[in-house]
Amino acid sequence: MTLVILAAGVGSRYGGLKQLDAVGPHNQSILDYSIYDALQAGFKKIVFVIRREIEAPCREFIEERYAKKVPCELVFQELDALPEGIVAPEGRAKPWGTGHAVLVCKDVVDSPFCVINADDFYGRAAYQEIAGFLKTCNDAEDLKRFAMVAFSLKNTLSEHGTVSRGVCKVDRDNNLISVTERTGICRYQDGVTCEMEDGETASLTGDEPVSLNFWGFTPDFFPHLEEQFKEFMESGLKDLKTEFYLPSAVDRLIRENQAAVSVLESSERWVGVTYKDDKALVMDYIKGLTGQGLYPEKLW
């Protein structure tokens, strides 16, 4: 099994490379804890998706900590990492989103794989759940069945600003019905609000299952992803900031009956560093887990 880590962000809201920032008792980053949990769950290879501009610190980080422990690959999410014949529109300044970030891995991933964000602390149980699923994905009839670990929306909010989440609908058999990317999500009095496509706001309960980009796929996913991305690029992009979201690509496969997605629910608390002020909360949370003996003081 391969762990694909989406680490191409440059931390504009955070003010630095949050994926490498120290939050643990011995300068461990969230990324360190994610990799520790993944290796404990049985993952055997790690693919880091980064941008060229942060290659030097990321390569140093990886070679210092992981290169001797597990096979590692670096792939680059850049504006010109496009299918043959596709040209980026003039004026585009940022890469194409999480769907594109996964697509650039297609030449280095040939086994069942898990996708995570570098700056999200998901908890050990999530890796154990997805590993259990991926270990069953070796037979041909399972190639179109994927999985997602879902968290309760109220457990994934930041106290210091809005967040974006894939809000999910799930059937009685824990199959994903749909996932819709919502932005501008924040707490409001006794509930939660989000921004809609028309600029209006809508209310949420906080109990909705949401995607935090914790997915389980097989390599069979890549041809579907590439086809959708080509259509996205050829559609005539009027908004130079629009992104090709991974949850939206999965949602389309479900709607077109090309895939089924099992939802593996996690009751654990999520913590992450969207904003600089989030760091203290993450440090306290990890300190508590370490104090309970759930993580060693030194991971390696």
Side-chain angles (χ1 to χ4, degrees), residues 11 22 36 50 55 59 69-70 108 112 118 123 141 148-149 162 178 197 233 242 246-247 257 260:
Y36 178 84
I50 65 170
E55 178 181 2
R59 190 174 293 278
K69 296 181 178 68
V70 60
V108 299
E141 62 267 27
M148 181 196 78
V149 175
T162 63
S178 66
E197 291 83 353
M233 294 297 297
T242 190
L246 180 59
N257 294 317

mmCIF file with all atom_site columns, all heavy atoms in Angstrom, residues 11 22 36 50 55 59 69-70 108 112 118 123 141 148-149 162 178 197 233 242 246-247 257 260:
data_model
loop_
_atom_site.group_PDB
_atom_site.id
_atom_site.type_symbol
_atom_site.label_atom_id
_atom_site.label_alt_id
_atom_site.label_comp_id
_atom_site.label_asym_id
_atom_site.label_entity_id
_atom_site.label_seq_id
_atom_site.pdbx_PDB_ins_code
_atom_site.Cartn_x
_atom_site.Cartn_y
_atom_site.Cartn_z
_atom_site.occupancy
_atom_site.B_iso_or_equiv
_atom_site.pdbx_formal_charge
_atom_site.auth_seq_id
_atom_site.auth_comp_id
_atom_site.auth_asym_id
_atom_site.auth_atom_id
_atom_site.pdbx_PDB_model_num
ATOM 1   N N   . GLY A 1 11  ? 1.248   27.634  2.202   1.00 0.00 ? 11  GLY A N   1
ATOM 2   C CA  . GLY A 1 11  ? 0.864   28.198  3.494   1.00 0.00 ? 11  GLY A CA  1
ATOM 3   C C   . GLY A 1 11  ? 0.638   29.695  3.489   1.00 0.00 ? 11  GLY A C   1
ATOM 4   O O   . GLY A 1 11  ? 1.096   30.390  4.390   1.00 0.00 ? 11  GLY A O   1
ATOM 5   N N   . ALA A 1 22  ? 6.946   22.416  13.390  1.00 0.00 ? 22  ALA A N   1
ATOM 6   C CA  . ALA A 1 22  ? 7.010   21.535  14.557  1.00 0.00 ? 22  ALA A CA  1
ATOM 7   C C   . ALA A 1 22  ? 5.810   21.743  15.473  1.00 0.00 ? 22  ALA A C   1
ATOM 8   O O   . ALA A 1 22  ? 5.482   22.875  15.834  1.00 0.00 ? 22  ALA A O   1
ATOM 9   C CB  . ALA A 1 22  ? 8.299   21.790  15.328  1.00 0.00 ? 22  ALA A CB  1
ATOM 10  N N   . TYR A 1 36  ? 4.002   8.146   10.763  1.00 0.00 ? 36  TYR A N   1
ATOM 11  C CA  . TYR A 1 36  ? 4.141   7.164   11.841  1.00 0.00 ? 36  TYR A CA  1
ATOM 12  C C   . TYR A 1 36  ? 2.901   6.262   11.890  1.00 0.00 ? 36  TYR A C   1
ATOM 13  O O   . TYR A 1 36  ? 3.019   5.022   11.928  1.00 0.00 ? 36  TYR A O   1
ATOM 14  C CB  . TYR A 1 36  ? 4.324   7.880   13.168  1.00 0.00 ? 36  TYR A CB  1
ATOM 15  C CG  . TYR A 1 36  ? 4.443   6.966   14.367  1.00 0.00 ? 36  TYR A CG  1
ATOM 16  C CD1 . TYR A 1 36  ? 5.670   6.404   14.720  1.00 0.00 ? 36  TYR A CD1 1
ATOM 17  C CD2 . TYR A 1 36  ? 3.326   6.669   15.156  1.00 0.00 ? 36  TYR A CD2 1
ATOM 18  C CE1 . TYR A 1 36  ? 5.783   5.563   15.821  1.00 0.00 ? 36  TYR A CE1 1
ATOM 19  C CE2 . TYR A 1 36  ? 3.425   5.838   16.250  1.00 0.00 ? 36  TYR A CE2 1
ATOM 20  C CZ  . TYR A 1 36  ? 4.653   5.292   16.590  1.00 0.00 ? 36  TYR A CZ  1
ATOM 21  O OH  . TYR A 1 36  ? 4.752   4.462   17.676  1.00 0.00 ? 36  TYR A OH  1
ATOM 22  N N   . ILE A 1 50  ? 4.518   17.851  -4.065  1.00 0.00 ? 50  ILE A N   1
ATOM 23  C CA  . ILE A 1 50  ? 4.956   19.179  -3.638  1.00 0.00 ? 50  ILE A CA  1
ATOM 24  C C   . ILE A 1 50  ? 5.069   20.106  -4.850  1.00 0.00 ? 50  ILE A C   1
ATOM 25  O O   . ILE A 1 50  ? 4.842   19.686  -5.989  1.00 0.00 ? 50  ILE A O   1
ATOM 26  C CB  . ILE A 1 50  ? 6.314   19.125  -2.905  1.00 0.00 ? 50  ILE A CB  1
ATOM 27  C CG1 . ILE A 1 50  ? 7.418   18.673  -3.860  1.00 0.00 ? 50  ILE A CG1 1
ATOM 28  C CG2 . ILE A 1 50  ? 6.234   18.194  -1.697  1.00 0.00 ? 50  ILE A CG2 1
ATOM 29  C CD1 . ILE A 1 50  ? 8.808   18.817  -3.298  1.00 0.00 ? 50  ILE A CD1 1
ATOM 30  N N   . GLU A 1 55  ? 10.908  22.521  -2.943  1.00 0.00 ? 55  GLU A N   1
ATOM 31  C CA  . GLU A 1 55  ? 11.598  21.238  -3.076  1.00 0.00 ? 55  GLU A CA  1
ATOM 32  C C   . GLU A 1 55  ? 12.749  21.097  -2.087  1.00 0.00 ? 55  GLU A C   1
ATOM 33  O O   . GLU A 1 55  ? 12.899  20.050  -1.446  1.00 0.00 ? 55  GLU A O   1
ATOM 34  C CB  . GLU A 1 55  ? 12.132  21.065  -4.493  1.00 0.00 ? 55  GLU A CB  1
ATOM 35  C CG  . GLU A 1 55  ? 12.907  19.760  -4.672  1.00 0.00 ? 55  GLU A CG  1
ATOM 36  C CD  . GLU A 1 55  ? 13.470  19.581  -6.073  1.00 0.00 ? 55  GLU A CD  1
ATOM 37  O OE1 . GLU A 1 55  ? 13.287  20.496  -6.909  1.00 0.00 ? 55  GLU A OE1 1
ATOM 38  O OE2 . GLU A 1 55  ? 14.080  18.528  -6.331  1.00 0.00 ? 55  GLU A OE2 1
ATOM 39  N N   . ARG A 1 59  ? 12.823  18.091  0.463   1.00 0.00 ? 59  ARG A N   1
ATOM 40  C CA  . ARG A 1 59  ? 13.758  16.990  0.197   1.00 0.00 ? 59  ARG A CA  1
ATOM 41  C C   . ARG A 1 59  ? 14.678  16.761  1.398   1.00 0.00 ? 59  ARG A C   1
ATOM 42  O O   . ARG A 1 59  ? 14.950  15.625  1.782   1.00 0.00 ? 59  ARG A O   1
ATOM 43  C CB  . ARG A 1 59  ? 14.562  17.285  -1.062  1.00 0.00 ? 59  ARG A CB  1
ATOM 44  C CG  . ARG A 1 59  ? 15.377  16.104  -1.544  1.00 0.00 ? 59  ARG A CG  1
ATOM 45  C CD  . ARG A 1 59  ? 16.043  16.404  -2.873  1.00 0.00 ? 59  ARG A CD  1
ATOM 46  N NE  . ARG A 1 59  ? 15.098  16.561  -3.965  1.00 0.00 ? 59  ARG A NE  1
ATOM 47  C CZ  . ARG A 1 59  ? 14.555  15.553  -4.636  1.00 0.00 ? 59  ARG A CZ  1
ATOM 48  N NH1 . ARG A 1 59  ? 14.841  14.293  -4.297  1.00 0.00 ? 59  ARG A NH1 1
ATOM 49  N NH2 . ARG A 1 59  ? 13.722  15.779  -5.638  1.00 0.00 ? 59  ARG A NH2 1
ATOM 50  N N   . LYS A 1 69  ? 13.953  4.592   5.992   1.00 0.00 ? 69  LYS A N   1
ATOM 51  C CA  . LYS A 1 69  ? 12.920  3.783   6.660   1.00 0.00 ? 69  LYS A CA  1
ATOM 52  C C   . LYS A 1 69  ? 11.920  3.178   5.683   1.00 0.00 ? 69  LYS A C   1
ATOM 53  O O   . LYS A 1 69  ? 11.383  2.091   5.925   1.00 0.00 ? 69  LYS A O   1
ATOM 54  C CB  . LYS A 1 69  ? 12.158  4.645   7.677   1.00 0.00 ? 69  LYS A CB  1
ATOM 55  C CG  . LYS A 1 69  ? 13.004  5.161   8.830   1.00 0.00 ? 69  LYS A CG  1
ATOM 56  C CD  . LYS A 1 69  ? 12.148  5.983   9.784   1.00 0.00 ? 69  LYS A CD  1
ATOM 57  C CE  . LYS A 1 69  ? 12.951  6.471   10.974  1.00 0.00 ? 69  LYS A CE  1
ATOM 58  N NZ  . LYS A 1 69  ? 13.962  7.469   10.583  1.00 0.00 ? 69  LYS A NZ  1
ATOM 59  N N   . VAL A 1 70  ? 11.639  3.900   4.579   1.00 0.00 ? 70  VAL A N   1
ATOM 60  C CA  . VAL A 1 70  ? 10.578  3.485   3.670   1.00 0.00 ? 70  VAL A CA  1
ATOM 61  C C   . VAL A 1 70  ? 10.868  4.095   2.302   1.00 0.00 ? 70  VAL A C   1
ATOM 62  O O   . VAL A 1 70  ? 11.398  5.211   2.221   1.00 0.00 ? 70  VAL A O   1
ATOM 63  C CB  . VAL A 1 70  ? 9.204   3.957   4.222   1.00 0.00 ? 70  VAL A CB  1
ATOM 64  C CG1 . VAL A 1 70  ? 9.156   5.468   4.353   1.00 0.00 ? 70  VAL A CG1 1
ATOM 65  C CG2 . VAL A 1 70  ? 8.055   3.453   3.370   1.00 0.00 ? 70  VAL A CG2 1
ATOM 66  N N   . VAL A 1 108 ? 3.898   6.902   -10.610 1.00 0.00 ? 108 VAL A N   1
ATOM 67  C CA  . VAL A 1 108 ? 4.709   6.339   -9.522  1.00 0.00 ? 108 VAL A CA  1
ATOM 68  C C   . VAL A 1 108 ? 3.882   5.522   -8.530  1.00 0.00 ? 108 VAL A C   1
ATOM 69  O O   . VAL A 1 108 ? 4.428   5.005   -7.551  1.00 0.00 ? 108 VAL A O   1
ATOM 70  C CB  . VAL A 1 108 ? 5.480   7.442   -8.764  1.00 0.00 ? 108 VAL A CB  1
ATOM 71  C CG1 . VAL A 1 108 ? 6.440   8.162   -9.703  1.00 0.00 ? 108 VAL A CG1 1
ATOM 72  C CG2 . VAL A 1 108 ? 4.546   8.419   -8.085  1.00 0.00 ? 108 VAL A CG2 1
ATOM 73  N N   . PRO A 1 112 ? -2.728  -0.290  -4.378  1.00 0.00 ? 112 PRO A N   1
ATOM 74  C CA  . PRO A 1 112 ? -3.775  0.436   -3.647  1.00 0.00 ? 112 PRO A CA  1
ATOM 75  C C   . PRO A 1 112 ? -3.150  1.559   -2.823  1.00 0.00 ? 112 PRO A C   1
ATOM 76  O O   . PRO A 1 112 ? -2.084  1.380   -2.230  1.00 0.00 ? 112 PRO A O   1
ATOM 77  C CB  . PRO A 1 112 ? -4.397  -0.644  -2.760  1.00 0.00 ? 112 PRO A CB  1
ATOM 78  C CG  . PRO A 1 112 ? -4.171  -1.917  -3.514  1.00 0.00 ? 112 PRO A CG  1
ATOM 79  C CD  . PRO A 1 112 ? -2.823  -1.758  -4.154  1.00 0.00 ? 112 PRO A CD  1
ATOM 80  N N   . ALA A 1 118 ? -1.256  16.972  3.991   1.00 0.00 ? 118 ALA A N   1
ATOM 81  C CA  . ALA A 1 118 ? -0.064  17.009  4.840   1.00 0.00 ? 118 ALA A CA  1
ATOM 82  C C   . ALA A 1 118 ? -0.302  17.726  6.154   1.00 0.00 ? 118 ALA A C   1
ATOM 83  O O   . ALA A 1 118 ? 0.390   17.473  7.139   1.00 0.00 ? 118 ALA A O   1
ATOM 84  C CB  . ALA A 1 118 ? 1.082   17.677  4.089   1.00 0.00 ? 118 ALA A CB  1
ATOM 85  N N   . GLY A 1 123 ? -5.557  10.974  13.106  1.00 0.00 ? 123 GLY A N   1
ATOM 86  C CA  . GLY A 1 123 ? -5.659  9.987   14.172  1.00 0.00 ? 123 GLY A CA  1
ATOM 87  C C   . GLY A 1 123 ? -5.375  8.579   13.679  1.00 0.00 ? 123 GLY A C   1
ATOM 88  O O   . GLY A 1 123 ? -5.634  8.229   12.534  1.00 0.00 ? 123 GLY A O   1
ATOM 89  N N   . GLU A 1 141 ? -12.759 -7.618  -9.332  1.00 0.00 ? 141 GLU A N   1
ATOM 90  C CA  . GLU A 1 141 ? -14.100 -7.078  -9.157  1.00 0.00 ? 141 GLU A CA  1
ATOM 91  C C   . GLU A 1 141 ? -14.130 -5.899  -8.179  1.00 0.00 ? 141 GLU A C   1
ATOM 92  O O   . GLU A 1 141 ? -15.117 -5.175  -8.110  1.00 0.00 ? 141 GLU A O   1
ATOM 93  C CB  . GLU A 1 141 ? -15.080 -8.160  -8.685  1.00 0.00 ? 141 GLU A CB  1
ATOM 94  C CG  . GLU A 1 141 ? -14.738 -8.769  -7.329  1.00 0.00 ? 141 GLU A CG  1
ATOM 95  C CD  . GLU A 1 141 ? -13.887 -10.014 -7.434  1.00 0.00 ? 141 GLU A CD  1
ATOM 96  O OE1 . GLU A 1 141 ? -13.154 -10.122 -8.435  1.00 0.00 ? 141 GLU A OE1 1
ATOM 97  O OE2 . GLU A 1 141 ? -13.962 -10.854 -6.535  1.00 0.00 ? 141 GLU A OE2 1
ATOM 98  N N   . MET A 1 148 ? -13.569 6.172   1.698   1.00 0.00 ? 148 MET A N   1
ATOM 99  C CA  . MET A 1 148 ? -13.289 7.475   2.271   1.00 0.00 ? 148 MET A CA  1
ATOM 100 C C   . MET A 1 148 ? -13.504 7.400   3.773   1.00 0.00 ? 148 MET A C   1
ATOM 101 O O   . MET A 1 148 ? -14.474 6.789   4.233   1.00 0.00 ? 148 MET A O   1
ATOM 102 C CB  . MET A 1 148 ? -14.241 8.527   1.687   1.00 0.00 ? 148 MET A CB  1
ATOM 103 C CG  . MET A 1 148 ? -14.000 9.942   2.206   1.00 0.00 ? 148 MET A CG  1
ATOM 104 S SD  . MET A 1 148 ? -15.413 11.027  1.862   1.00 0.00 ? 148 MET A SD  1
ATOM 105 C CE  . MET A 1 148 ? -16.530 10.510  3.163   1.00 0.00 ? 148 MET A CE  1
ATOM 106 N N   . VAL A 1 149 ? -12.595 7.971   4.538   1.00 0.00 ? 149 VAL A N   1
ATOM 107 C CA  . VAL A 1 149 ? -12.815 8.113   5.973   1.00 0.00 ? 149 VAL A CA  1
ATOM 108 C C   . VAL A 1 149 ? -13.500 9.458   6.191   1.00 0.00 ? 149 VAL A C   1
ATOM 109 O O   . VAL A 1 149 ? -12.997 10.505  5.775   1.00 0.00 ? 149 VAL A O   1
ATOM 110 C CB  . VAL A 1 149 ? -11.493 8.046   6.759   1.00 0.00 ? 149 VAL A CB  1
ATOM 111 C CG1 . VAL A 1 149 ? -11.746 8.316   8.240   1.00 0.00 ? 149 VAL A CG1 1
ATOM 112 C CG2 . VAL A 1 149 ? -10.838 6.682   6.578   1.00 0.00 ? 149 VAL A CG2 1
ATOM 113 N N   . THR A 1 162 ? -12.533 30.482  8.476   1.00 0.00 ? 162 THR A N   1
ATOM 114 C CA  . THR A 1 162 ? -13.366 29.552  7.725   1.00 0.00 ? 162 THR A CA  1
ATOM 115 C C   . THR A 1 162 ? -12.530 28.403  7.165   1.00 0.00 ? 162 THR A C   1
ATOM 116 O O   . THR A 1 162 ? -11.304 28.505  7.022   1.00 0.00 ? 162 THR A O   1
ATOM 117 C CB  . THR A 1 162 ? -14.077 30.271  6.576   1.00 0.00 ? 162 THR A CB  1
ATOM 118 O OG1 . THR A 1 162 ? -13.089 30.781  5.658   1.00 0.00 ? 162 THR A OG1 1
ATOM 119 C CG2 . THR A 1 162 ? -14.918 31.412  7.097   1.00 0.00 ? 162 THR A CG2 1
ATOM 120 N N   . SER A 1 178 ? -23.166 11.208  -2.334  1.00 0.00 ? 178 SER A N   1
ATOM 121 C CA  . SER A 1 178 ? -22.642 12.398  -2.991  1.00 0.00 ? 178 SER A CA  1
ATOM 122 C C   . SER A 1 178 ? -21.693 13.110  -2.040  1.00 0.00 ? 178 SER A C   1
ATOM 123 O O   . SER A 1 178 ? -21.758 12.930  -0.821  1.00 0.00 ? 178 SER A O   1
ATOM 124 C CB  . SER A 1 178 ? -23.768 13.350  -3.403  1.00 0.00 ? 178 SER A CB  1
ATOM 125 O OG  . SER A 1 178 ? -24.426 13.876  -2.256  1.00 0.00 ? 178 SER A OG  1
ATOM 126 N N   . GLU A 1 197 ? -22.886 28.448  -3.970  1.00 0.00 ? 197 GLU A N   1
ATOM 127 C CA  . GLU A 1 197 ? -22.364 28.887  -5.255  1.00 0.00 ? 197 GLU A CA  1
ATOM 128 C C   . GLU A 1 197 ? -22.844 30.273  -5.643  1.00 0.00 ? 197 GLU A C   1
ATOM 129 O O   . GLU A 1 197 ? -22.141 31.021  -6.334  1.00 0.00 ? 197 GLU A O   1
ATOM 130 C CB  . GLU A 1 197 ? -22.759 27.888  -6.363  1.00 0.00 ? 197 GLU A CB  1
ATOM 131 C CG  . GLU A 1 197 ? -22.071 26.542  -6.276  1.00 0.00 ? 197 GLU A CG  1
ATOM 132 C CD  . GLU A 1 197 ? -22.762 25.592  -5.310  1.00 0.00 ? 197 GLU A CD  1
ATOM 133 O OE1 . GLU A 1 197 ? -23.713 26.028  -4.604  1.00 0.00 ? 197 GLU A OE1 1
ATOM 134 O OE2 . GLU A 1 197 ? -22.374 24.407  -5.249  1.00 0.00 ? 197 GLU A OE2 1
ATOM 135 N N   . MET A 1 233 ? -10.165 21.101  -18.160 1.00 0.00 ? 233 MET A N   1
ATOM 136 C CA  . MET A 1 233 ? -9.262  22.046  -18.817 1.00 0.00 ? 233 MET A CA  1
ATOM 137 C C   . MET A 1 233 ? -9.802  22.523  -20.157 1.00 0.00 ? 233 MET A C   1
ATOM 138 O O   . MET A 1 233 ? -9.525  23.649  -20.580 1.00 0.00 ? 233 MET A O   1
ATOM 139 C CB  . MET A 1 233 ? -7.884  21.413  -18.999 1.00 0.00 ? 233 MET A CB  1
ATOM 140 C CG  . MET A 1 233 ? -7.139  21.132  -17.710 1.00 0.00 ? 233 MET A CG  1
ATOM 141 S SD  . MET A 1 233 ? -6.770  22.625  -16.763 1.00 0.00 ? 233 MET A SD  1
ATOM 142 C CE  . MET A 1 233 ? -5.689  23.489  -17.899 1.00 0.00 ? 233 MET A CE  1
ATOM 143 N N   . THR A 1 242 ? -10.431 28.861  -10.429 1.00 0.00 ? 242 THR A N   1
ATOM 144 C CA  . THR A 1 242 ? -11.219 27.652  -10.238 1.00 0.00 ? 242 THR A CA  1
ATOM 145 C C   . THR A 1 242 ? -10.314 26.430  -10.131 1.00 0.00 ? 242 THR A C   1
ATOM 146 O O   . THR A 1 242 ? -9.241  26.380  -10.740 1.00 0.00 ? 242 THR A O   1
ATOM 147 C CB  . THR A 1 242 ? -12.221 27.465  -11.392 1.00 0.00 ? 242 THR A CB  1
ATOM 148 O OG1 . THR A 1 242 ? -13.126 26.409  -11.079 1.00 0.00 ? 242 THR A OG1 1
ATOM 149 C CG2 . THR A 1 242 ? -11.512 27.137  -12.693 1.00 0.00 ? 242 THR A CG2 1
ATOM 150 N N   . LEU A 1 246 ? -10.729 16.977  -5.881  1.00 0.00 ? 246 LEU A N   1
ATOM 151 C CA  . LEU A 1 246 ? -10.788 15.520  -5.797  1.00 0.00 ? 246 LEU A CA  1
ATOM 152 C C   . LEU A 1 246 ? -12.181 15.026  -5.392  1.00 0.00 ? 246 LEU A C   1
ATOM 153 O O   . LEU A 1 246 ? -12.705 14.095  -6.017  1.00 0.00 ? 246 LEU A O   1
ATOM 154 C CB  . LEU A 1 246 ? -9.725  15.025  -4.820  1.00 0.00 ? 246 LEU A CB  1
ATOM 155 C CG  . LEU A 1 246 ? -9.627  13.521  -4.603  1.00 0.00 ? 246 LEU A CG  1
ATOM 156 C CD1 . LEU A 1 246 ? -9.335  12.789  -5.898  1.00 0.00 ? 246 LEU A CD1 1
ATOM 157 C CD2 . LEU A 1 246 ? -8.545  13.203  -3.561  1.00 0.00 ? 246 LEU A CD2 1
ATOM 158 N N   . PRO A 1 247 ? -12.826 15.598  -4.363  1.00 0.00 ? 247 PRO A N   1
ATOM 159 C CA  . PRO A 1 247 ? -14.172 15.131  -4.020  1.00 0.00 ? 247 PRO A CA  1
ATOM 160 C C   . PRO A 1 247 ? -15.168 15.267  -5.167  1.00 0.00 ? 247 PRO A C   1
ATOM 161 O O   . PRO A 1 247 ? -16.043 14.408  -5.337  1.00 0.00 ? 247 PRO A O   1
ATOM 162 C CB  . PRO A 1 247 ? -14.571 16.032  -2.842  1.00 0.00 ? 247 PRO A CB  1
ATOM 163 C CG  . PRO A 1 247 ? -13.282 16.468  -2.243  1.00 0.00 ? 247 PRO A CG  1
ATOM 164 C CD  . PRO A 1 247 ? -12.347 16.625  -3.406  1.00 0.00 ? 247 PRO A CD  1
ATOM 165 N N   . ASN A 1 257 ? -22.399 5.998   -11.959 1.00 0.00 ? 257 ASN A N   1
ATOM 166 C CA  . ASN A 1 257 ? -22.349 4.562   -11.667 1.00 0.00 ? 257 ASN A CA  1
ATOM 167 C C   . ASN A 1 257 ? -21.070 3.896   -12.162 1.00 0.00 ? 257 ASN A C   1
ATOM 168 O O   . ASN A 1 257 ? -21.062 2.740   -12.585 1.00 0.00 ? 257 ASN A O   1
ATOM 169 C CB  . ASN A 1 257 ? -23.569 3.849   -12.281 1.00 0.00 ? 257 ASN A CB  1
ATOM 170 C CG  . ASN A 1 257 ? -24.865 4.280   -11.637 1.00 0.00 ? 257 ASN A CG  1
ATOM 171 O OD1 . ASN A 1 257 ? -24.950 4.414   -10.418 1.00 0.00 ? 257 ASN A OD1 1
ATOM 172 N ND2 . ASN A 1 257 ? -25.876 4.516   -12.469 1.00 0.00 ? 257 ASN A ND2 1
ATOM 173 N N   . ALA A 1 260 ? -18.224 2.755   -6.668  1.00 0.00 ? 260 ALA A N   1
ATOM 174 C CA  . ALA A 1 260 ? -18.918 2.802   -5.376  1.00 0.00 ? 260 ALA A CA  1
ATOM 175 C C   . ALA A 1 260 ? -17.873 3.144   -4.327  1.00 0.00 ? 260 ALA A C   1
ATOM 176 O O   . ALA A 1 260 ? -16.728 2.688   -4.398  1.00 0.00 ? 260 ALA A O   1
ATOM 177 C CB  . ALA A 1 260 ? -19.571 1.457   -5.068  1.00 0.00 ? 260 ALA A CB  1
#
